[in-house]
Amino acid sequence: MKKLIISIFGAAVLFTSGAASTEASSINTVVNNMTGIPYKWGGTTLAGFDCSGFMRYIFQKYSIELPRTSQQQAKAGTPVSKANLRTGDMVFFNTSGSGISHTGVYIGGGQFAHASSSKGVSITKMSNPYFSDRYVTARRVTGQFMYNKMLGKI
């Protein structure tokens, strides 16, 4: 009986750790699978995205509803400093010279994913001079549970 319990426990540990590793960094997997989808002004579907439509699409996968525009999205959740960014935080930029006009999602490693008007869905370094000079703020719209889900831990 003791061997059976140990075997079942061992199988459970192996099964759950295997499940976590196959989905590790799930937001990165989602983003990588969408890279190259074209930019479309007002776009909210796989046929094409604008930046805020892309954010809504990504976060809906984690049951998080966001407002439609980047300006409205920049008021959602709670502020987070650039030094404390974590995967799943939204980052905002002033690319038009008149306030927040672009958004993306921080995916770790100093990078964010966004719908670029020139490249479509793409991954860019936060240190990219264009975006670094135009960075405004970041917001955290995920709690611990959704954060873990975005990382593929659950």
Side-chain angles (χ1 to χ4, degrees):
M1 182 68 164
K2 188 175 182 180
K3 285 184 179 181
L4 177 62
I5 291 171
I6 291 171
S7 295
I8 292 171
F9 177 75
V13 168
L14 182 62
F15 176 76
T16 57
S17 66
S21 65
T22 59
E23 294 182 22
S25 300
S26 66
I27 193 168
N28 291 346
T29 301
V30 169
V31 167
N32 284 331
N33 289 336
M34 297 174 73
T35 300
I37 291 176
Y39 180 86
K40 181 179 179 184
W41 177 261
T44 60
T45 70
L46 295 173
F49 292 106
D50 66 10
C51 63
S52 57
F54 178 56
M55 291 301 94
R56 284 178 55 103
Y57 186 89
I58 291 291
F59 282 92
Q60 282 175 347
K61 292 190 165 296
Y62 300 97
S63 303
I64 298 168
E65 295 295 321
L66 293 173
R68 176 62 186 100
T69 70
S70 57
Q71 296 90 348
Q72 294 166 335
Q73 290 173 0
K75 297 175 185 170
T78 57
V80 60
S81 70
K82 194 174 188 179
N84 289 318
L85 287 173
R86 72 178 189 189
T87 300
D89 287 341
M90 297 181 71
V91 290
F92 297 91
F93 306 88
N94 178 352
T95 58
S96 67
S98 59
I100 291 170
S101 54
H102 190 66
T103 184
V105 60
Y106 186 74
I107 59 170
Q111 300 181 104
F112 71 103
H114 60 121
S116 161
S117 58
S118 61
K119 298 178 183 175
V121 174
S122 57
I123 297 170
T124 302
K125 291 182 179 186
M126 293 287 294
S127 62
N128 173 298
Y130 178 82
F131 287 103
S132 180
D133 290 348
R134 290 163 178 80
Y135 177 84
V136 176
T137 190
R139 303 293 283 195
R140 184 164 294 158
V141 295
T142 59
Q144 190 64 42
F145 178 80
M146 280 301 152
Y147 171 66
N148 288 336
K149 192 171 181 181
M150 286 179 155
L151 292 180
K153 292 182 178 181
I154 50 175

